[in-house]
């Protein structure tokens, strides 16, 4: 388990632990809240009795070097307080991480589980294999017997239905759709904002994501459009599709089921899929088994997992994840003045990109070129061009088209580039993408800071210490290290031998006419 | 004492501890090395037997939060290895810190002692009181009976002499000079380079200085020009004045007395003082009691403490502090190619400045102006104008002349400024100075990085989170906190109450015509 957070304290039951019933047979860890206002009130009353541990400070402080980076104690306690139906969620979730995800994942938050794969591997293939696919969960992982699985369609549809997985898979009823699509968390690259410009702590913890909160899979299932049609179509004022998950969500002392919404327009253009397969395999539990939503080009948060219900409504969902979170604020909004209505809703993901290798602060010994790899993505289109700068954003080099992976309507492109590098010392490299609509990225993270630390889409920068061994003086120095059997790294380890003999020094000084000017 | 460094290991004598003699009666801790090549060789042989602890990594890592920040274990061990004459130097030095310096000094390096005062207090007076004056020592503190004190003048002078303190103070022989002068370490503000662009680790440890490695005092003593005249004047080829201190210095396995040099031109214009008084008090031991050099406008390193000898030579000193250190390299020089001759010697300090309050990352609640205080300095002239920018270097405000302290030929000016601040959120403020020769500062630390991390003279920047309570929405939010008895800080602590009621939210959404566009 993760090291204890500094504000950790042991969980202590206040009063008696409640027992909330499982909602459905064959489903474990699913408490239905939204249909039972009294149950919600009861849960709020229970939560009000607790003084939950405060999330740890990690924005004004260095990030812990542990893995998991953060534990999520507060969130664990929320679950403990709800009694046995979901109090074992932190353990169950962590077991699924160990079972379904790669061993070397970077666990940015242990519970609810948030994790990303190592940078280098993520861009070695254009399709992300399932164990490497990032996970951004908002609660625990319900365990569902697929033979007992169904979801409901209700609200502003003409013919509300319950639909089982078996029915959904029946190709005589629903045609299949299989689409390669990237999913991205709006927290991707948040780490760049965190330490430069601390922002919303968020009780769930705004996880310190690196560049890996994005992944690409071939999703197979049924277009939601077909399902709505099967339910008799929308009523006239049906404007938004609200998705409910089986997971429990907490916000400011209230309890909810995870819920979000998308405009019906998105469904009508076949960009909302109900998927049971991820890269030709059944969905892993951690990714929503047996059925999840996949909304193409949108923030991952809309792609609801463990779908229980689709509710057609006449306006965006008032559920907290939709109304109160994933909002994009202007940089003068913050703790002192922010309101939910002052941010716009993050739905379509902007054009963005990242350098995955080398990583920030690497020291690279090279012959005049350094190889960069990375990804580029645009939620509203597709990457047309990727450019790398070797001087922080003045000169740009185009990544040749043959170094970009295949174009998909709804997916990223991975890329690699041999960048010319003449200069030595600390250099700043950055990348930007142009999509098919000529959108590109802000130049600096400074211009894109926002209180909730979402969508770090500015040009991604890495500082690299360049050692160009095609230069004679550099070759000579490296040889001195080699001859003495000494490592050149770490960079800041003092050079244990003299940098220049007195003789060479005096000769050079003479050439330069000494250190002093002349009268 | 400081917390142990990560590479710390206990000192273990290799062979037998040597006993090097005290050089002079009434002087404690002064081993003369430079006059005895055999003794130097013996010391080098002893040092070669040891595997000294490696300096800790603090450039790629967060700086320790301890005070002392760094301990200097390697340097302590150097002294231990030299036997009883100086092995107690680390303890003696630390005792002097406790006796002579303010209690709240920031000890950036425990041994050799490097320390600076708290930012705010440093600029409250134009003259720095002695306990607050920064200290940058290169070795231990010798203890000298002033009645037994003398220094020698030799080399390219017509009449070499030994001069006692008593003689120097005899006004019938030497006229007095009293000058207000700032001394500045070239490491001032190094902390800005350290984490952005790690560089030379240096076996002595390139101390992580903040903005306080500068101080201003009235120094009283005799102009070196008068002393040289007393010694019959310079011989024709006398070009540099080499100063030796009683402290022991170590460099790459060799042992030295601290030694530096300045060109004779500097002495001829009466800018080199031999001073025994600092702000009308005898020099504190930690600042060179009983006599030190003060070189006006130059890097502090040339102002040799515990002066034993002045040697007139025909070229800059070949001693390591002069030849191998305090060199300013172009940004493409580094571990891979740097030679001593490729840097120019840091003598005159450039125009520079710093914001001392508020400090980086402060959250300031204000009514539309924020007060800044700081200092400005120019080694080759004096500060004529100070300007503050509230947008990172686009718009500049002139600090009114009445808010600047008095002009001296050789000292800084302190300043304060009520800066207009309308915007909220993270803002970047910076300061620059123009001196009488219209020199000003580089805009970004990036442009001024150098391998040895010297002279951070770029515009000093602080990020401030601005909360402008003259704005209605901000006043309203602050009142919400107040009414609930909740603190607004820490900034990243989540707001525990709802940011907006559902009613207000829906009203605002209606005003904005909802979240969706229209067909």
């Amino acid at each position: 388990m993760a090291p204890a957070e500094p504000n950790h304290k042991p969980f202590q039951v206040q009063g008696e632990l409640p027992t909330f019933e499982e909602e459905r047979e064959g489903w474990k860890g699913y408490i239905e809240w939204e249909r039972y206002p009294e149950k919600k009130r009861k849960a709020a009353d229970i939560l009000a009795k607790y003084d939950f541990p405060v999330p740890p400070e990690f924005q004004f402080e260095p990030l812990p070097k542990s893995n998991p980076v953060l534990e999520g104690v507060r969130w664990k306690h929320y679950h403990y307080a709800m009694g046995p139906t979901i109090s074992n969620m932190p353990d169950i979730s962590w077991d699924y991480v160990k079972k379904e995800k790669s061993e070397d994942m970077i666990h940015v938050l242990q519970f609810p589980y948030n994790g990303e794969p190592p940078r280098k591997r993520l861009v070695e293939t254009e399709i992300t294999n399932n164990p490497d696919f990032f996970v951004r969960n908002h609660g625990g992982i319900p365990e569902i017997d697929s033979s007992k699985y169904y979801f409901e369609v209700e609200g502003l549809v003409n013919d509300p239905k319950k639909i089982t997985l078996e029915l959904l898979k029946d190709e005589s009823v629903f045609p299949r759709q299989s689409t390669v699509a990237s999913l991205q968390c709006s927290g991707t690259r948040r780490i760049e904002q965190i330490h430069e410009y601390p922002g919303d702590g968020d009780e769930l913890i705004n996880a310190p994501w690196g560049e890996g909160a994005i992944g690409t899979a071939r999703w197979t299932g049924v277009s939601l459009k077909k399902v709505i049609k099967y339910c008799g179509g929308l009523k006239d004022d049906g404007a938004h599709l609200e998705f409910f998950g089986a997971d429990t969500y907490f916000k400011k002392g209230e309890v909810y089921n995870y819920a979000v919404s998308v405009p019906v327009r998105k469904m009508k253009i076949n960009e909302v899929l109900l998927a049971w397969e991820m890269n030709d395999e059944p969905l892993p539990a951690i990714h929503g088994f047996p059925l999840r939503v996949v909304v193409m080009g949108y923030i991952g948060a809309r792609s609801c997992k463990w779908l229980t219900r689709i509710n057609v409504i006449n306006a965006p969902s008032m559920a907290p994840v939709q109304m109160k979170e994933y909002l994009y604020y202007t940089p003068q909004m913050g703790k002192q003045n922010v309101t939910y209505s002052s941010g716009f809703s993050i739905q379509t993901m902007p054009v963005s990109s990242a350098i995955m290798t080398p990583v920030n602060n690497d020291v690279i010994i090279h012959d005049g070129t350094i190889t960069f790899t990375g990804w580029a993505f645009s939620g509203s289109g597709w990457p047309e061009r990727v450019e790398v700068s070797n001087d922080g954003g003045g000169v740009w080099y185009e990544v040749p088209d043959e170094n970009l992976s295949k174009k998909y309507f709804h997916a990223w492109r991975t890329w690699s580039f041999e960048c010319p590098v003449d200069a030595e010392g600390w250099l700043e490299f950055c990348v930007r993408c142009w999509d098919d609509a000529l959108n590109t990225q802000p130049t600096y993270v400074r211009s894109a800071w926002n209180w909730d630390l979402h969508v770090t889409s500015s040009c991604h920068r890495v500082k690299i210490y360049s050692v160009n061994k095609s230069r004679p003086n550099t070759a000579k120095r490296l040889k001195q290290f080699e001859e003495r059997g000494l490592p050149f790294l770490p960079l800041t380890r003092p050079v244990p031998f003299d940098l220049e003999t007195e003789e060479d020094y005096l000769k050079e000084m003479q050439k330069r006419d000494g250190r002093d000017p002349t009268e």
Side-chain angles (χ1 to χ4, degrees), chain A residues 215-226:
Chain A
T216 301
R218 178 169 288 281
W219 306 95
T220 301
V222 170
S223 175
L224 178 55
K225 187 174 186 172
K226 308 297 176 189

Side-chain angles (χ1 to χ4, degrees), chain A residues 355 357-358 370-374 388 415-419 429 462 464:
Chain A
I355 293 166
T357 64
I370 297 179
T371 304
F372 290 82
T373 68
V388 172
W415 55 268
S416 71
F417 181 57
E418 298 270 325
C419 188
F429 296 85
V462 293
I464 299 294

Side-chain angles (χ1 to χ4, degrees), chain A residues 184-197:
Chain A
Q184 185 184 9
C185 175
S186 68
T188 319
R189 296 176 45 203
R190 174 176 287 142
I191 206 168
E192 295 161 51
Q193 294 194 56
I194 281 180
H195 286 312
E196 285 298 308
Y197 309 102

